[in-house]
Every structure is written in C-alpha cells, then in structure tokens.
Amino acid sequence: MSMSPFESHLVVTDSRHSAAELLAFETKLSVGALKQAMQKGCVWHTRKKHTQRLRRNKKALHAGDELHLYYNEDVLQATTDDAVLMADEQQFSVWYKPYGMLCQGSKWSDHTTINRFAQTTLTPQRPAFIVHRLDRATTGLMVLAHSKTAARELSAAFEKRQTRKTYQAIVHGDLSSLSEPLTINTEVNNKSAISHVTCLEFNAELQLSKIEIAIETGRKHQIRIHMASMQHPIVGDRLHGNTELDARLQAKQDRLCDLQLQAVTLSFPDHRTGNQLSYQLPESFRLTF
C-alpha cells in the first residue's frame, strides 16, 4: 500500500547529521528513499530568508536552518518520455517536448519538467529557464534560456509578440472545403484571441482533418477553445473536446487518444545578433492519422 501524501517541516538543531538523516528521524522513510526524493525536487532548504530545493544530501547544514519535505509517492513515481534536443545554441536551446512533460514544477517535485531534464542532460551542464509554455498535453517545439540575460531577452520577445509559432492539430470533422485560411476571433476568457486555420489533409475513413494554426495571440487553451467553438474539437482534448467522438475514434485508432496538438514551427530574435531565428519540427516527430 502506498503512503498517503504528507509534509514534514523541521528546524535543524544538530548540524552533524545530513538532511536525509534528519528527515528520516521525523518520518517513516529510509535515508535511501529520501535521497532519491531529494533528487526529484521535493526537499527544500531554508537559510535565513532564502529557500530553494535541496538536491545534494552532502550539503552542510547550520543550526537554525529549516528543512521542508513534500512527499507524494504518486507524483514521485510519475515518468515521461525524454525531451529531444533540436538545437543547442549555448545561451539557449530548442527542444521537442513530449506528451506529459511539464513546463513548471511544484513543491512536490520537478523531475518531470523540461527545464530540469535539460539541466541534467545538456553538456556542458547549465541552468535552464522557462521563457514560454506548452500545456502538459501539447507536444512540440520549445526554447529554453541558459543565462539570465537570455531569459530576460527571450521573455521580452514573447511578451512583445516578436515571436512566431505555428501549430498543427488533428480535429474531428471535415474541413477540406477550406480554400483559404479561416480566421477565428472568438474571445477567450473575455480577451481578444485570433487564430488562422488551414486544412492540410482530410481522412474520410476516420472523419478527421489535419490542420495548421497560426496564432496572433497566446491565450490559455486558445486553439483548443477556438476549434471547439467551430464544432471541430481537437482529438483527445479532455477539457474542451467531444468525449463521445473520442471514444468512438479510440475503438478504431487507440494511439490517437492523447491530445493531438503540436507546436511545429518557432521563430524568435537572437538577442546576441538581432537576427530572426527559425526552427521547424522534423516530419518524423509530427502528428499523423
């Protein structure tokens, strides 16, 4: 039986012991289990007013330090496919983010986040900063910054809409009659939102269309909401989709049960030169019927 999620907080009084040993005294967990949990980002260390994740059990502790453990076995046992490096530009890198990988950790862990994966796999190792996001269920291209300067400049580029992103999706229904891009400007969460949709292919047997979407705004779930508003929900969209249509499709094509939405092109200004850089997801990574 798995252990119920719990928190443990303690003030260090004896600095002769390691963090894992002190937390083992307070919990039913072994030192080995705590070391593994520490690597996955659920142990935090506070010294004075500064709190950060504690990953190294060898870190020297001082009397008065605080340790915080946020333990959830289900979270710690979660796994994802590896991200794939598309380009390493030293100050930043471009990746393929797989389904289920997160863009933001929590106090309970960060081991399934793309920035943590990049930090632990890039050579040479570097910090990795998130400058934009993809939903957990969305796959495709992401850029990560590896210096505070690059993070600041890339974040500003996204905020000022100096970036361009194109998505592809597989949706229910026939959109093959679109002879030119369709503009959808339905508001999302009472904010203006504009998407331009082009049909790339139609599968008559499955009654699915593969579309390409260029967005002028980046509202949360914008593409998913826009396609649902057109009665052509994205396949596998558990929030805004059509569960009945998805269930019928899954009986025919089980591999399409995950969200079929993907970022396929990404361009942004290089903060070092000012030149616009463009990246495309290779065809071998793209969605298919």
Side-chain angles (χ1 to χ4, degrees):
M1 179 181 294
S2 63
M3 186 180 296
S4 298
F6 69 92
E7 301 179 15
S8 181
H9 307 274
L10 63 91
V11 177
V12 176
T13 56
D14 187 345
S15 59
R16 294 173 298 175
H17 295 286
S18 69
E21 289 171 336
L22 291 172
L23 288 168
F25 296 152
E26 294 289 320
T27 68
K28 298 179 180 179
L29 299 171
S30 68
V31 169
L34 284 161
K35 287 180 179 179
Q36 293 180 2
M38 197 176 294
Q39 285 294 315
K40 294 184 177 181
C42 72
V43 177
W44 296 74
H45 172 247
T46 299
R47 179 168 293 164
K48 296 182 179 180
K49 295 183 179 181
H50 184 61
T51 299
Q52 63 182 8
R53 295 186 200 270
L54 178 62
R55 301 192 193 275
R56 295 187 304 108
N57 190 47
K58 293 182 179 179
K59 181 180 177 68
L61 301 177
H62 298 169
D65 288 358
E66 297 175 22
L67 295 174
H68 314 276
L69 170 67
Y70 301 93
Y71 193 86
N72 184 322
E73 283 190 9
D74 290 339
V75 171
L76 294 174
Q77 290 174 5
T79 60
T80 66
D81 291 338
D82 290 349
V84 180
L85 181 63
M86 297 283 115
D88 185 354
E89 308 290 359
Q90 299 305 310
Q91 291 293 306
F92 55 87
S93 56
V94 178
W95 297 79
Y96 167 76
K97 186 192 84 68
Y99 178 86
M101 184 167 274
L102 303 173
C103 293
Q104 184 173 347
S106 70
K107 65 183 181 181
W108 301 92
S109 84
D110 67 348
H111 70 289
T112 57
T113 62
I114 189 168
N115 53 319
R116 180 62 181 160
F117 181 84
Q119 287 173 354
T120 55
T121 58
L122 276 175
T123 304
Q125 287 196 349
R126 284 154 277 171
F129 303 99
I130 295 290
V131 295
H132 70 119
R133 288 173 169 77
L134 290 179
D135 293 339
R136 173 186 175 277
T138 303
T139 63
L141 293 177
M142 282 192 67
V143 59
L144 299 177
H146 300 304
S147 69
K148 291 183 178 180
T149 297
R152 182 173 60 251
E153 296 297 331
L154 283 167
S155 295
F158 279 94
E159 291 172 3
K160 296 175 183 177
R161 299 184 184 177
Q162 296 171 337
T163 61
R164 296 288 182 271
K165 289 184 287 185
T166 303
Y167 293 80
Q168 289 182 359
I170 296 176
V171 301
H172 290 287
D174 184 0
L175 284 171
S176 61
S177 62
L178 290 181
S179 57
E180 57 185 33
L182 170 69
T183 297
I184 306 173
N185 54 18
T186 305
E187 288 189 349
V188 174
N189 297 325
N190 297 317
K191 295 181 179 179
S192 64
I194 301 174
S195 303
H196 305 286
V197 179
T198 303
C199 185
L200 302 175
E201 188 179 354
F202 173 62
N203 185 311
E205 178 185 356
L206 298 176
Q207 287 295 298
L208 300 176
S209 295
K210 184 175 181 179
I211 61 173
E212 188 162 279
I213 314 102
I215 59 174
E216 291 189 25
T217 51
R219 308 305 180 196
K220 186 175 182 179
H221 295 171
Q222 174 177 322
I223 296 173
R224 298 162 71 171
I225 292 171
H226 273 176
M227 295 316 301
S229 74
M230 299 298 294
Q231 307 306 310
H232 291 284
I234 297 176
V235 171
D237 188 345
R238 294 175 176 84
L239 288 177
H240 307 286
N242 187 309
T243 54
E244 184 177 342
L245 289 176
D246 282 342
R248 292 178 191 171
L249 176 63
Q250 190 170 354
K252 299 179 182 178
Q253 197 67 275
D254 184 64
R255 67 180 179 80
L256 293 176
C257 62
D258 293 335
L259 180 70
Q260 299 296 294
L261 176 62
Q262 185 173 74
V264 296
T265 70
L266 176 62
S267 65
F268 50 86
D270 185 341
H271 69 281
R272 300 165 300 185
T273 64
N275 296 332
Q276 194 77 3
L277 301 174
S278 297
Y279 300 88
Q280 293 192 10
L281 190 66
E283 288 294 331
S284 58
F285 286 83
R286 299 200 182 193
L287 302 174
T288 58
F289 293 120

